[in-house]
Amino acid sequence: MLTRRTLLLSSLVLAATAAGASGGYAQGSAAQVSPQQASQLIDSTAKRLIAVIDGPGSAEQKRPALQQIIDSVVAVDEIGRFCLGRHWRSASPDEQRDYLELFHRVLLNSITGHLGDYRGITYTLGRPLPGEGGVQVPSTMNRPGQPSADLTWIVADVGGGPKIIDVVAAGTSMRLTQRSDYDSYLVHNGNNVKALLSALKRQVG
Amino acid sequence: MRACRLTLLMAGLVLLAGCATPPPASDPEGVADYRQTNDPLEPTNRVLYAVNDGIDAAIIRPLAVGYTYAVPEVLRTHIHNILDNLNNPVILANDMMEGKPRRAGDTMMRLLINTTLGLGGIFDVADSMGYTAHDADFGITLAMWGVPDGPFLFLPVFGPSSPRDLTGYGTDFAIDPFTWTGTTTPWLLFDYSRYGMTVIDIRASLIPDLDKVKEQALDPYATFRSLYRQHRKAQIEQVEHDTRATVPLWYDHGPAQ
């Protein structure tokens, strides 16, 4: 329904991906991460990302720094496993390894491919709330010349420390959206994980 | 005649597309996913998605790009405010039908303040006074009444939908006072301008974001389907969780105390 701005959601979630926080399922529980820890994680991550994005250098030069930030704060492997859903179990160990490697690159490309969109970004954080599956940290992102975007970051304990496992924009979860995309692609390609790997390879170039 | 042939061709394509084939019972996880997706008309919906995508690429997106290029941002904001204000009667009616008097009060104040102090809706004065905009439509109202959404539908121009929301479109159109303003040329011009500007206004606000969905998703149709459903669920939950007291704060702290 155009009059109710329904499609706005799509944009915000994809923008969130490019901002560096892909969603996903992670092992662990919210009880092990305090709201303060979660809020500090998002605050420090945003500062580190902004420093790189607004700093000198080309997108290619910024890739290693961005990758380091993502790997340290986002539960990328767990998110990747969640996004593959039931197909993870039917994939061979080699396919699982290739998939996770590609998933990392897809995520990194989605950020570096749109660095220009995120220059000059500022943010404010709301009060973190313990919720189902993780601590929810609300935030408002302000981009120059564009409407502000409300994003909620989900932080949970993964491997003994707090990590980002999802981002929710306009009520839509990144991890669920990505999972729907991959699942539909696989269903329409004979549930063949190799077909998904080929598509991801084309995507990362 | 050409239009008739085109309609028949479209109908033929849609019928040929048919219904989705569920996975075999030997694949219980596949069956569970199929049920959860609830898109038995998927082949038909995909045809309509392709039609919609073609219309968007050929007409709507170029118009929206031209609009953002030619019209300064401040003017676009005012146009957006006017369109929002014109929709307030429909929102107000749905707030009341949802049984949410505080939300109805907010909308009533937005309508009164923005129509007067906001000079016909050009300025969103009500927002700065604490009466922020919210979503309401008859699809949400039906959900509040316990009506299930039903299978996924993809409609030309309107995009992702469901039988519940399709009913909502028709009802919102019927309860909109501007639908019944008459058929004289000035009113018809006003109505068509409003509908056209609404489409352009919304599409313009989504240019970079929809581009990213189409660029990054392996299956954009499935991605839009998922996003739409999640978003509608969140909108409905937002209404359900709005349990603010009906009596406004100023009344409790008024002259009687």
Side-chain angles (χ1 to χ4, degrees):
Chain A
M1 179 173 286
L2 288 166
T3 53
R4 53 168 91 117
R5 293 168 276 166
T6 303
L7 291 178
L8 183 62
L9 54 99
S10 45
S11 50
L12 294 177
V13 168
L14 267 288
T17 319
S22 175
Y25 172 79
Q27 306 298 324
S29 69
Q32 293 167 301
V33 176
S34 71
Q36 288 71 27
Q37 275 181 305
S39 189
Q40 280 166 8
L41 177 77
I42 300 303
D43 193 32
S44 63
T45 303
K47 284 189 170 76
R48 290 167 67 194
L49 281 171
I50 288 170
V52 174
I53 290 169
D54 289 346
S58 65
E60 201 53 40
Q61 288 168 327
K62 291 174 182 176
R63 274 181 77 97
L66 290 169
Q67 180 150 29
Q68 192 186 24
I69 296 170
I70 292 164
D71 289 344
S72 64
V73 299
V74 181
V76 183
D77 285 356
E78 287 75 11
I79 292 166
R81 275 199 284 276
F82 176 86
C83 290
L84 203 53
R86 62 192 166 99
H87 305 284
W88 175 261
R89 287 193 299 280
S90 62
S92 69
D94 283 349
E95 287 171 340
Q96 290 176 350
R97 190 197 59 234
D98 291 348
Y99 164 75
L100 288 179
E101 190 186 318
L102 283 164
F103 192 80
H104 276 258
R105 287 172 62 193
V106 166
L107 183 61
L108 189 62
N109 277 10
S110 73
I111 298 166
T112 53
H114 296 278
L115 278 187
D117 297 349
Y118 299 98
R119 279 190 196 283
I121 200 169
T122 58
Y123 68 95
T124 52
L125 296 185
R127 193 164 66 90
L129 292 170
E132 197 177 316
V135 177
Q136 301 170 9
V137 184
S139 69
T140 301
M141 301 289 168
N142 301 298
R143 288 179 286 167
Q146 294 186 53
S148 61
D150 292 328
L151 303 175
T152 299
W153 309 86
I154 313 297
V155 178
D157 181 88
V158 179
K163 286 206 170 185
I164 296 165
I165 60 162
D166 198 7
V167 59
V168 178
T172 59
S173 151
M174 178 55 214
R175 63 179 183 176
L176 288 177
T177 307
Q178 193 68 67
R179 184 175 164 130
S180 296
D181 184 29
Y182 288 176
D183 182 63
S184 181
Y185 187 85
L186 282 159
V187 166
H188 288 90
N189 286 275
N191 292 317
N192 183 357
V193 177
K194 279 192 173 57
L196 177 69
L197 296 180
S198 299
L200 292 177
K201 277 176 192 161
R202 285 194 298 275
Q203 203 174 41
V204 297
Chain B
M1 181 58 86
R2 276 185 185 170
C4 187
R5 279 183 189 158
L6 187 63
T7 308
L8 285 172
L9 179 65
M10 287 296 305
L13 280 173
V14 167
L15 287 172
L16 275 174
C19 296
T21 308
S26 57
D27 179 10
E29 283 182 310
V31 172
D33 276 356
Y34 176 83
R35 285 185 183 149
Q36 194 179 16
T37 303
N38 195 12
D39 189 4
L41 300 173
E42 185 174 341
T44 304
N45 285 334
R46 280 184 182 273
V47 170
L48 294 174
Y49 169 75
V51 170
N52 210 39
D53 200 35
I55 294 170
D56 182 67
I59 302 169
I60 301 175
R61 188 182 181 281
L63 283 174
V65 170
Y67 175 66
T68 55
Y69 182 75
V71 182
E73 190 186 352
V74 64
L75 190 54
R76 280 186 270 133
T77 302
H78 291 317
I79 291 170
H80 176 79
N81 290 343
I82 292 169
L83 294 169
D84 263 6
N85 197 46
L86 290 171
N87 200 37
N88 273 333
V90 173
I91 293 178
L92 176 61
N94 280 297
D95 286 337
M96 291 193 285
M97 288 189 285
E98 287 163 6
K100 295 290 179 181
R102 275 303 293 275
R103 290 170 77 86
D106 285 351
T107 306
M108 176 66 89
M109 293 305 285
R110 285 184 58 77
L111 181 61
L112 292 175
I113 293 168
N114 285 345
T115 304
T116 53
L117 296 176
L119 305 177
I122 296 173
F123 300 96
D124 189 356
V125 184
D127 185 74
S128 57
M129 295 169 73
Y131 300 106
T132 52
H134 62 252
D135 293 316
D137 56 63
F138 199 68
I140 294 176
T141 300
L142 287 173
M144 293 296 290
W145 292 353
V147 177
D149 57 351
F152 182 73
L153 296 176
F154 201 97
L155 307 174
V157 182
F158 289 100
S161 187
S162 67
R164 185 176 67 195
D165 288 343
L166 182 57
T167 308
Y169 301 152
T171 308
D172 286 338
F173 181 76
I175 64 177
D176 188 342
F178 292 105
T179 303
W180 309 103
T181 46
T183 53
T184 56
T185 305
W187 277 117
L188 285 178
L189 272 175
F190 169 81
D191 285 341
Y192 289 129
S193 302
R194 180 190 169 202
Y195 298 142
M197 280 313 302
T198 300
V199 171
I200 300 300
D201 170 58
I202 293 168
R203 187 63 183 90
S205 70
L206 297 173
I207 291 169
D209 304 319
L210 291 193
D211 286 353
K212 276 178 199 157
V213 172
K214 291 179 184 177
E215 175 193 320
Q216 295 180 359
L218 297 178
D219 186 346
Y221 168 83
T223 301
F224 284 126
R225 180 177 62 197
S226 172
L227 290 168
Y228 175 75
R229 282 204 171 124
Q230 290 183 64
H231 182 59
R232 289 298 280 167
K233 185 167 174 279
Q235 283 182 312
I236 292 159
E237 284 174 356
Q238 200 170 36
V239 177
E240 282 173 344
H241 296 159
D242 190 347
T243 54
R244 289 175 296 162
T246 303
V247 179
L249 285 175
W250 59 261
Y251 185 84
D252 290 339
H253 302 288
Q257 291 187 347

